[in-house]
Amino acid sequence: MSRTSSYYDVRDALAEPGCAVCRLKSKAVERYLDGLLWESVNDPGVRRQVRQARGFCRDHAWLLVRPAASLGVAILHRDVLRAVLDILQGARFQAPPWLSVQRAHEALDAEQASTATAELVGRLAPQAPCPACKQGAEMEVIYLDTLLQELLGEDGLLAAYRESAGLCLPHLRQALARLRSEAVFQALVDAQRAIWQRLEADVSEFIRKSDARFRDEPWGDERDAWLRAISAVAGSQPGVNR
């Protein structure tokens, strides 16, 4: 049977710690950022996308800090700085009339956004998604669909999935939202329940051994259960393959 490269990516990721889709998404973003910095930093279309996005989100912006990347990072961020400076150059404070309803509402509610700066705030806001987030989201869908399509059947991924850390809660929700097959649904839910039951037992054992009464007992697999619990509930830390 012919397999796509994403099948082998998912199969291999299931053998690693943590959520396989988190791991693959993180690697996809790393590949994208490498390609951007080493191959595309002078591409006008790419530079336009970065300007429209007002740069990268915080997590992905700091992933740009890597050896020999300083020039590429500087070029991209100079573009963004020039774009926002142009916007600020013509900025005007546009207060509503003194006797307007809007002015009265703003006077009574300090949390209400200012009408006077609304246009400027809108222009300074990202006009497009973070390019790295966009790439990560696209690859995330490909890997989730691959997992669901290849879970059952000959050489399916179910056995590997059962032995893995499963999906994190956010990716499980995404997977379930994409499911159309009852058989795959049942297999996925049963496997995930067993995986999380094992994790819950490890977390409980970690809590028990943290009690001073049991401090002389040696640590086992439960030693890092608290970190695995974070990864299971929230997803892997950005840029970190646990």
Side-chain angles (χ1 to χ4, degrees):
M1 179 185 295
S2 177
R3 302 285 192 184
T4 63
S5 60
S6 59
Y7 165 85
Y8 296 102
D9 290 341
V10 173
R11 184 198 63 183
D12 293 346
L14 287 171
E16 299 290 337
C19 171
V21 176
C22 282
R23 175 175 292 275
L24 290 168
K25 180 180 179 180
S26 180
K27 287 183 175 180
V29 169
E30 288 283 351
R31 287 195 301 271
Y32 166 79
L33 294 176
D34 278 341
L36 171 70
L37 290 168
W38 313 135
E39 301 170 14
S40 304
V41 76
N42 288 316
D43 184 308
V46 171
R47 302 245 308 253
R48 187 183 313 111
Q49 291 173 4
V50 175
R51 287 196 303 272
Q52 290 175 339
R54 305 294 184 253
F56 296 83
C57 69
R58 182 174 61 182
D59 287 341
H60 291 139
W62 285 105
L63 287 181
L64 292 167
V65 179
R66 55 190 68 201
S70 56
L71 179 58
V73 173
I75 290 171
L76 292 171
H77 284 77
R78 183 180 64 178
D79 274 5
V80 177
L81 287 170
R82 285 178 171 176
V84 296
L85 282 169
D86 284 345
I87 294 170
L88 290 175
Q89 180 67 33
R92 292 188 302 116
F93 189 79
Q94 299 174 310
W98 277 103
L99 298 179
S100 67
V101 173
Q102 182 62 39
R103 189 126 187 181
H105 284 169
E106 291 182 18
L108 293 171
D109 184 2
E111 298 303 315
Q112 185 170 333
S114 170
T115 304
T117 58
E119 180 182 342
L120 177 59
V121 170
R123 294 184 65 197
L124 290 173
Q127 310 298 299
C130 163
C133 286
K134 184 174 182 289
Q135 177 68 16
E138 290 172 357
M139 294 306 300
E140 186 176 49
V141 168
I142 290 173
Y143 289 127
L144 281 169
D145 285 347
T146 298
L147 174 64
L148 297 176
Q149 291 162 9
E150 302 285 358
L151 192 66
L152 302 180
E154 184 179 357
D155 294 327
L157 296 167
L158 182 58
Y161 190 87
R162 285 171 172 159
E163 297 302 315
S164 76
L167 293 175
C168 63
L169 183 55
H171 280 134
L172 178 63
R173 289 197 301 265
Q174 284 183 257
L176 292 172
R178 303 183 70 79
L179 265 174
R180 300 293 185 269
S181 164
E182 184 175 356
V184 175
F185 165 83
Q186 200 60 59
L188 180 69
V189 169
D190 287 349
Q192 190 70 49
R193 184 188 301 117
I195 289 165
W196 278 346
Q197 284 172 339
R198 294 196 298 269
L199 176 57
E200 189 276 335
D202 280 350
V203 171
S204 294
E205 184 65 357
F206 175 88
I207 293 170
R208 187 187 72 83
K209 287 186 176 179
S210 297
D211 189 314
R213 293 173 296 173
F214 309 109
R215 63 186 176 188
D216 292 332
E217 293 187 21
W219 288 98
D221 291 341
E222 72 283 347
R223 176 185 291 275
D224 67 346
W226 65 284
L227 290 171
R228 288 186 283 126
I230 295 175
S231 181
V233 172
S236 298
Q237 185 178 353
V240 177
N241 289 319
R242 274 192 196 282

